[in-house]
Amino acid sequence: MGVSDDRRLAVLRAIVEDYVSTHEPVGSRALVERHRLGVSPATIRNDMAVLEEEGYIAQPHTSAGRIPTDKGYRLFVDRLANLKPMSPAERRAIQAFLDGAVDLDDVVDRTVRLLAQITRQAAVVQYPSLSRAAVRHVEVVPVGGRSALLVLITDTGRVEQRVVQVRSAGDLDALPEQLAALRDRVNAAVAGKRLKQAREELTAVVQASEPGQTAVAAEVVAALGECLTAGLEERVVIAGTANLVRSGADLSASLGSVLEALEEHVVLLRLVQEMAEEGVTDRGALSVRIGAENLHLGLPETSVVTSGYGEGEVLARLGVLGPTRMDYPTTMAAVRAVSRYVSRILSQ
Amino acid sequence: MGVSDDRRLAVLRAIVEDYVSTHEPVGSRALVERHRLGVSPATIRNDMAVLEEEGYIAQPHTSAGRIPTDKGYRLFVDRLANLKPMSPAERRAIQAFLDGAVDLDDVVDRTVRLLAQITRQAAVVQYPSLSRAAVRHVEVVPVGGRSALLVLITDTGRVEQRVVQVRSAGDLDALPEQLAALRDRVNAAVAGKRLKQAREELTAVVQASEPGQTAVAAEVVAALGECLTAGLEERVVIAGTANLVRSGADLSASLGSVLEALEEHVVLLRLVQEMAEEGVTDRGALSVRIGAENLHLGLPETSVVTSGYGEGEVLARLGVLGPTRMDYPTTMAAVRAVSRYVSRILSQ
DNA sequence: CTTGGCACTCGGGTTCGGCGAGTGCCAGGC
DNA sequence: GCCTGGCACTCGCCGAACCCGAGTGCCAAG
């Protein structure tokens, strides 16, 4: 569609807005009544015919009103939508809610709940990606017998831990000192390094260890390697699934599969990853996926709005998931606002 | 109802079984056909009249079949149900699935997924309660600047950690040694103690610390106190919410509120707690809540089957949540089987 | 290019019977 | 005394017929 015809675009926008608010096919008469388009229904009908021809709208059955197609929503989101700015009260609420967080886990938890609540849809927050995170410190704590606890701390504030059984330990009394020495060597080798790189450095540590202790070192280092790998693993948190069922019975047909997909965090991770890569619609950091674009992930009739967040660079994504006919302007504004506040909080 | 009339009980059992499998009101004719009751429909009708009189069954509308009431299910569960033993294949599957777990978190995660899958309902697993857990070790790791990481390890395998900013530290270079000394004193004071008791011992540690370091000690100990409190906090994990929507449209009216309640872990914790206390129906460790008994928790038309689990003593509960008209014998058998395997695994 | 008019379509809601499953009651038989 | 077959009655469900109205497409005129 050329930009030429302003009114046709206005009609599309009006159709999207009305349909989103009423959930019913919208006809030409209702359209001229609710929006001051300054022309008669007949004219609108002509425009509608063209819009339908071009695939932006469709009619569920002959002699019913029109509803937007995925393509129609796409155009709306890309070129027609004006994000609805949040009210000062809402901004304050967001800030107040997030400021109370004490912890990275807490920040993520609060964020996902907040998003679900203000958008009244399902919310998804990806944990800050650790592929770029660096090792801040590694601690090895003997906890009696052959057991020791490994603790890995990254500079993003994430903590991974693991209990390791040191089977090859000869002298149990000497073990604590051995471990302490090992810890110091490990720290010297990996502190400040990125996780992936750190994993590679570890082999050198084993080789450099004293002859009698290579076995112990190998065991501990192997466990630490797992820890690093676990640290690299992406995680997501969701909330507000109950909002999906409220948001209208029309999604209820596919509700089952959507809920299923939401429980499979692997699917969500792929979704988030894909959105990060392609940046389908980029308005600021906002990215929107509409309807059939998510079908391969088992998410029919579903749209997703996400935004990158993080201190300075984009560490991860957060967003909202709901029925295709969601209120994009408000949702997008909310996602953007929350992502900004979260980024700010993480910078401290 | 007296025990006297065996046939009446048989009729109730038959009604429950048929209704659960067909989801339709069951009439007298269908009943004598499907179950060899050896009497005529007319006789059954008389029995039904009595059962209805006593509140065990009801008819949705005049001249329709009967459906069990909550009271009917209750009687069924308490006295009529024979748990359906799991097939050897199922037992093997359970074992194989749980044996792969590497971690407490992993055990819990696998368990909840497994329960959801084999019962085709929503599953709930409470983390092993820590009110009885004891402190195994406390570690304080300086991580640069004024920051330190507290790690609390309990003898149930749970690990809590927290980052603390030591604002009152005077000499930053001396801080690591201060913290190490503090750690040793703390460990001496609380190792082996139960969490609640440990929290009380902590104040003594601060008072006993050297004059110049009381401020630092107070800060660290305060954070550790929070850690202990967090460790005491109960947690639950859920899975299989998608099964709720599949399990029949009749629950769909209340589906929203059920999903909402499931997201509120507080509600689930209370539910689990209540079931632990009252032990509504106790068959082995199994406990069953039916329909309106859960209404105060925002769970309408919902039944819950749980069982205690843990090594030796009952540390927590796990179970399943579904529509009132669930298949109790199979569900109860599954919950019991899983709880036993999990208990066994935890004993290692 | 817009507009009012007009014929046409078709989905949704309503009404109306008929069908059938199921019940309660009763009188008779083991 | 309990069970049984028979019988009249009650309703919910289903399909058919029906109407209404919103909405469309097309056309001729401004």
Side-chain angles (χ1 to χ4, degrees):
Chain A
M1 168 149 59
V3 193
S4 63
D5 207 338
D6 288 354
R7 196 191 51 224
R8 216 121 75 198
L9 289 176
V11 169
L12 177 57
R13 169 196 273 129
I15 290 175
V16 171
E17 287 174 356
D18 276 20
Y19 181 65
V20 161
S21 71
T22 66
H23 299 181
E24 274 173 10
V26 19
S28 52
R29 189 196 333 271
L31 218 49
V32 296
E33 282 169 6
R34 296 184 40 129
H35 306 262
R36 311 197 172 274
L37 293 170
V39 291
S40 78
T43 310
I44 300 298
R45 285 204 283 279
N46 289 330
D47 291 338
M48 283 176 154
V50 177
L51 285 171
E52 181 162 14
E53 181 83 14
E54 291 172 333
Y56 295 106
I57 56 179
Q59 29 189 353
H61 29 254
T62 325
S63 88
R66 308 304 220 285
I67 63 176
T69 61
D70 287 358
K71 191 178 172 189
Y73 284 120
R74 172 93 284 159
L75 184 62
F76 176 81
V77 166
D78 287 350
R79 301 192 31 211
L80 269 31
N82 308 317
L83 302 211
K84 290 215 188 87
M86 316 230 71
S87 74
E90 288 171 312
R91 304 190 102 85
R92 272 196 304 276
I94 293 177
Q95 199 156 11
F97 192 71
L98 292 183
D99 276 348
V102 299
D103 200 273
L104 179 62
D105 285 339
D106 201 21
V107 170
V108 171
D109 187 58
R110 280 165 184 255
T111 303
V112 73
R113 284 168 186 267
L114 177 68
L115 263 177
Q117 197 193 322
I118 62 186
T119 64
R120 306 209 139 273
Q121 299 185 82
V124 183
V125 177
Q126 177 190 18
Y127 262 75
S129 160
L130 296 194
S131 60
R132 302 194 163 170
V135 175
R136 183 186 282 172
H137 186 84
V138 172
E139 185 61 37
V140 182
V141 184
V143 288
R146 299 178 177 281
S147 304
L149 180 77
L150 293 180
V151 182
L152 166 69
I153 309 162
T154 72
D155 60 1
T156 51
R158 185 146 147 193
V159 180
E160 285 288 332
Q161 87 262 326
R162 176 151 317 201
V163 177
V164 56
Q165 300 286 332
V166 190
R167 298 184 206 286
S168 60
D171 179 2
L172 285 188
D173 290 336
L175 189 57
E177 285 107 73
Q178 281 185 35
L179 292 179
L182 183 59
R183 172 199 59 196
D184 293 340
R185 282 206 308 281
V186 168
N187 271 305
V190 303
K193 300 260 170 43
R194 294 222 168 132
L195 264 55
K196 232 173 184 166
Q197 202 186 339
R199 222 168 16 171
E200 292 158 15
E201 304 284 348
L202 284 178
T203 51
V205 173
V206 177
Q207 289 161 0
S209 61
E210 300 162 35
Q213 299 181 13
T214 46
V216 172
E219 278 191 305
V220 173
V221 163
L224 185 56
E226 282 177 40
C227 237
L228 283 166
T229 309
L232 279 165
E233 182 181 275
E234 304 284 356
R235 286 162 60 201
V236 288
V237 184
I238 67 172
T241 52
N243 291 330
L244 288 180
V245 22
R246 301 196 178 285
S247 73
D250 45 342
L251 195 139
S252 74
S254 41
L255 188 89
S257 32
V258 173
L259 275 181
E260 229 165 49
L262 285 184
E263 277 202 3
E264 283 307 320
H265 289 189
V266 194
V267 171
L268 290 179
L269 281 170
R270 197 151 82 215
L271 171 68
V272 161
Q273 202 111 10
E274 282 177 12
M275 293 184 75
E277 285 164 10
E278 61 197 35
V280 179
T281 290
D282 236 301
R283 279 196 156 208
L286 280 178
S287 161
V288 182
R289 280 264 200 135
I290 294 169
E293 297 167 5
N294 301 311
L295 224 152
H296 62 297
L297 296 168
L299 292 171
E301 304 168 47
T302 304
S303 284
V304 189
V305 177
T306 66
S307 162
Y309 74 94
E311 21 177 352
E313 60 184 339
V314 169
L315 290 178
R317 312 211 118 234
L318 57 79
V320 156
L321 184 151
T324 307
R325 48 136 189 64
M326 66 167 68
D327 179 352
Y328 293 94
T330 326
T331 304
M332 290 167 78
V335 169
R336 191 174 62 180
V338 170
S339 86
R340 285 186 181 165
Y341 278 110
V342 174
S343 297
R344 188 186 301 172
I345 290 198
L346 286 181
S347 307
Q348 296 159 6
Chain B
M1 167 150 61
V3 192
S4 62
D5 207 338
D6 289 354
R7 196 190 53 222
R8 216 121 75 199
L9 289 176
V11 169
L12 177 57
R13 168 195 275 130
I15 290 175
V16 171
E17 287 173 357
D18 275 20
Y19 181 65
V20 162
S21 71
T22 66
H23 298 184
E24 276 173 10
V26 17
S28 52
R29 190 196 332 272
L31 217 51
V32 297
E33 281 168 7
R34 295 185 39 129
H35 306 262
R36 310 197 172 276
L37 293 171
V39 291
S40 80
T43 310
I44 301 297
R45 285 204 284 280
N46 289 330
D47 291 339
M48 283 176 154
V50 176
L51 285 169
E52 181 163 13
E53 182 82 15
E54 291 173 333
Y56 294 105
I57 57 179
Q59 31 188 351
H61 27 255
T62 324
S63 88
R66 308 305 220 286
I67 62 176
T69 60
D70 286 359
K71 190 178 172 190
Y73 284 120
R74 173 92 286 159
L75 185 63
F76 176 79
V77 166
D78 286 351
R79 301 193 29 212
L80 269 31
N82 307 317
L83 302 211
K84 289 215 190 87
M86 317 230 70
S87 75
E90 287 172 312
R91 304 191 103 84
R92 272 197 304 276
I94 293 177
Q95 198 156 13
F97 192 72
L98 292 183
D99 276 348
V102 300
D103 202 88
L104 178 63
D105 285 339
D106 200 21
V107 170
V108 171
D109 187 58
R110 281 167 184 255
T111 303
V112 74
R113 284 169 186 264
L114 178 67
L115 263 177
Q117 198 194 322
I118 63 184
T119 64
R120 305 208 140 272
Q121 299 186 81
V124 183
V125 176
Q126 177 190 17
Y127 262 75
S129 161
L130 297 194
S131 60
R132 304 196 162 168
V135 176
R136 184 187 283 172
H137 186 84
V138 172
E139 185 60 38
V140 183
V141 185
V143 288
R146 299 177 177 281
S147 304
L149 179 77
L150 292 180
V151 182
L152 166 68
I153 309 163
T154 72
D155 59 1
T156 50
R158 187 147 147 192
V159 180
E160 285 289 332
Q161 88 262 327
R162 176 150 317 202
V163 177
V164 56
Q165 300 286 331
V166 189
R167 298 185 205 285
S168 60
D171 179 2
L172 284 188
D173 290 335
L175 189 58
E177 286 105 72
Q178 280 185 35
L179 291 179
L182 184 58
R183 172 199 58 197
D184 292 340
R185 282 206 309 280
V186 168
N187 271 306
V190 303
K193 299 259 170 42
R194 293 220 169 134
L195 264 54
K196 231 172 185 167
Q197 202 186 341
R199 222 168 16 172
E200 291 158 15
E201 305 283 348
L202 284 177
T203 51
V205 174
V206 177
Q207 288 163 0
S209 61
E210 299 163 35
Q213 300 180 9
T214 45
V216 171
E219 279 191 304
V220 173
V221 162
L224 186 56
E226 282 178 39
C227 237
L228 283 167
T229 310
L232 278 166
E233 183 181 90
E234 305 284 356
R235 286 162 61 200
V236 288
V237 184
I238 66 171
T241 52
N243 291 330
L244 288 181
V245 23
R246 301 196 178 284
S247 72
D250 44 342
L251 194 139
S252 73
S254 41
L255 188 86
S257 33
V258 174
L259 275 181
E260 230 165 49
L262 285 184
E263 277 201 4
E264 283 308 320
H265 289 190
V266 195
V267 171
L268 289 179
L269 280 170
R270 197 151 83 216
L271 171 68
V272 160
Q273 203 111 10
E274 284 178 12
M275 293 184 75
E277 285 164 11
E278 61 196 33
V280 180
T281 291
D282 236 302
R283 279 194 156 209
L286 281 177
S287 159
V288 182
R289 279 265 201 135
I290 294 169
E293 297 166 4
N294 301 311
L295 224 154
H296 63 297
L297 295 167
L299 292 171
E301 304 169 45
T302 304
S303 285
V304 190
V305 177
T306 66
S307 163
Y309 74 95
E311 21 176 352
E313 59 184 339
V314 170
L315 289 178
R317 314 210 117 235
L318 56 77
V320 156
L321 184 151
T324 306
R325 48 136 190 65
M326 67 167 67
D327 179 351
Y328 292 94
T330 326
T331 304
M332 290 168 77
V335 169
R336 191 175 61 180
V338 170
S339 88
R340 286 186 180 165
Y341 278 110
V342 173
S343 296
R344 189 186 302 173
I345 290 199
L346 286 181
S347 307
Q348 297 159 5

